[in-house]
Amino acid sequence: MANIQIWFEATRPKTLPAAVAPVVLGTAMAHSIGQFHFLPAVICLAFALLVQIGTNFANDYLDGIKGTDTAARLGPRRAVAAGLVPASTMKWVAIGILAFAFFLGLSLIYFGGWWLLAVGFSSVLCAWFYTGGPYPLAYNGMGDVFVVLFFGLIAVGGTFHVQAGFVSQEVILLGLACGLVVNNILVVNNYRDIDEDLQANKRTLVVLLGRRWALVQYGLSLLFAGGVLSWMVWQGMGPMILLGWLAVAYGFCLLGKLAKASIPADFLAALKGAALVVLAFSALVSLGLLSG
């Protein structure tokens, strides 16, 4: 049971809403125009979750062997850094999960076309190169771009496309909004880890621009997401979509708490809150789309 708990923690369950939210939104958008299809939607969800977990395992392994994560870190313990899982074991489990995700994703070609092969390949490749390879994205200020692109634009747009057969302007903007809200989980994480990242020469966007900018980025992302919802209503998609503003408002409440955070419990609450905002945004906007 202890071993199961270690692996469950290594999946970083608080980050998993990042995989679920865009698939739910893309599916709700497809349903709103009468194009919901169960099987490709479920495959998209499974693919997104596997890529997220594989990325987290790869990050655990790579940050562990680089010394970026240590037993003294402010955040939750990491399996490799804490000596709970051998580095080689974590490495091969991460590779196995990402490989399985890739082959599962190949089934989506039947629904969306061969161009999805490039999407699947780049998703799995970037999952590893997020913290690995000669130019790791997370170590060079590109982590935020990766999250917004893959957990926003591609995830929402791809989920919609395999069900509806096309991508609209509304889907693209909603995907961008979703990606920015999801990325706030990373902002909180990097905000917390700024001192450790500086010592490890991990140049996240927070390290490069500072904690004050991180707070501004967090707030602007929420504003953009709310603005997209208002624009969608103006485009005639129904006022119930504005339910998503409740999640945006809650995010701003959390922003003030993040600015005052100083102890591990504060940062843990901020991380949980950012994940809750993602779930609430996805659920409320989807509810608005379905009711509209």
Side-chain angles (χ1 to χ4, degrees):
M1 291 300 296
N3 201 37
I4 293 174
Q5 180 64 29
I6 289 169
W7 282 102
F8 178 73
E9 288 181 10
T11 66
R12 306 184 190 182
K14 295 181 183 65
T15 69
L16 298 185
V20 176
V23 176
V24 170
L25 282 172
T27 299
M29 283 290 288
H31 191 284
S32 70
I33 60 169
Q35 292 294 326
F36 168 69
H37 296 285
F38 178 78
L39 183 56
V42 170
I43 295 173
C44 284
L45 179 60
F47 176 80
L49 283 168
L50 287 169
V51 170
Q52 176 67 49
I53 292 171
T55 302
N56 289 342
F57 284 176
N59 181 258
D60 197 307
Y61 160 70
L62 291 161
D63 277 351
I65 63 173
K66 290 178 181 179
T68 305
D69 288 337
T70 66
R73 67 191 307 274
L74 284 176
R77 65 181 180 177
R78 297 294 181 237
V80 172
L84 301 173
V85 175
S88 60
T89 301
M90 184 64 77
K91 171 186 175 181
W92 287 111
V93 171
I95 291 173
I97 289 176
L98 291 174
F100 181 68
F102 176 76
F103 287 111
L104 176 65
L106 290 179
S107 62
L108 291 171
I109 292 174
Y110 173 79
F111 301 98
W114 283 98
W115 70 275
L116 290 173
L117 180 62
V119 172
F121 183 75
S122 61
S123 297
V124 171
L125 195 65
C126 287
W128 186 267
F129 285 107
Y130 181 73
T131 47
Y135 191 81
L137 300 171
Y139 282 71
N140 293 280
M142 296 295 291
D144 299 74
V145 175
F146 167 85
V147 171
V148 174
L149 179 61
F150 284 94
F151 290 91
L153 289 169
I154 290 177
V156 175
T159 300
F160 179 86
H161 182 273
V162 297
Q163 296 179 71
F166 68 97
V167 175
S168 65
Q169 183 180 11
E170 291 80 7
V171 171
I172 292 173
L173 286 173
L174 185 59
L176 183 56
C178 178
L180 289 170
V181 173
V182 167
N183 189 60
N184 277 346
I185 298 176
L186 180 64
V187 173
V188 173
N189 189 75
N190 291 343
Y191 185 94
R192 177 197 64 205
D193 293 343
I194 185 171
D195 294 329
E196 297 168 26
D197 290 342
L198 277 167
Q199 294 176 5
N201 198 32
K202 185 177 181 179
R203 297 183 299 274
T204 65
L205 204 58
V206 179
V207 168
L208 293 173
L209 301 177
R211 274 182 164 163
R212 181 175 295 180
W213 163 253
L215 297 175
V216 172
Q217 179 188 356
Y218 190 109
L220 288 177
S221 295
L222 290 171
L223 277 178
F224 181 88
V228 168
L229 299 183
S230 299
W231 178 83
M232 290 173 68
V233 172
W234 184 62
Q235 290 294 305
M237 298 190 68
M240 293 296 289
I241 295 175
L242 293 179
L243 284 171
W245 263 101
L246 294 174
V248 172
Y250 178 59
F252 275 108
C253 292
L254 295 173
L255 180 59
K257 295 180 180 179
L258 177 61
K260 299 176 182 177
S262 59
I263 61 175
D266 294 338
F267 291 115
L268 180 59
L271 192 61
K272 287 181 178 179
L276 183 58
V277 169
V278 172
L279 282 175
F281 182 82
S282 172
L284 291 171
V285 174
S286 297
L287 178 63
L289 287 167
L290 296 177
S291 62

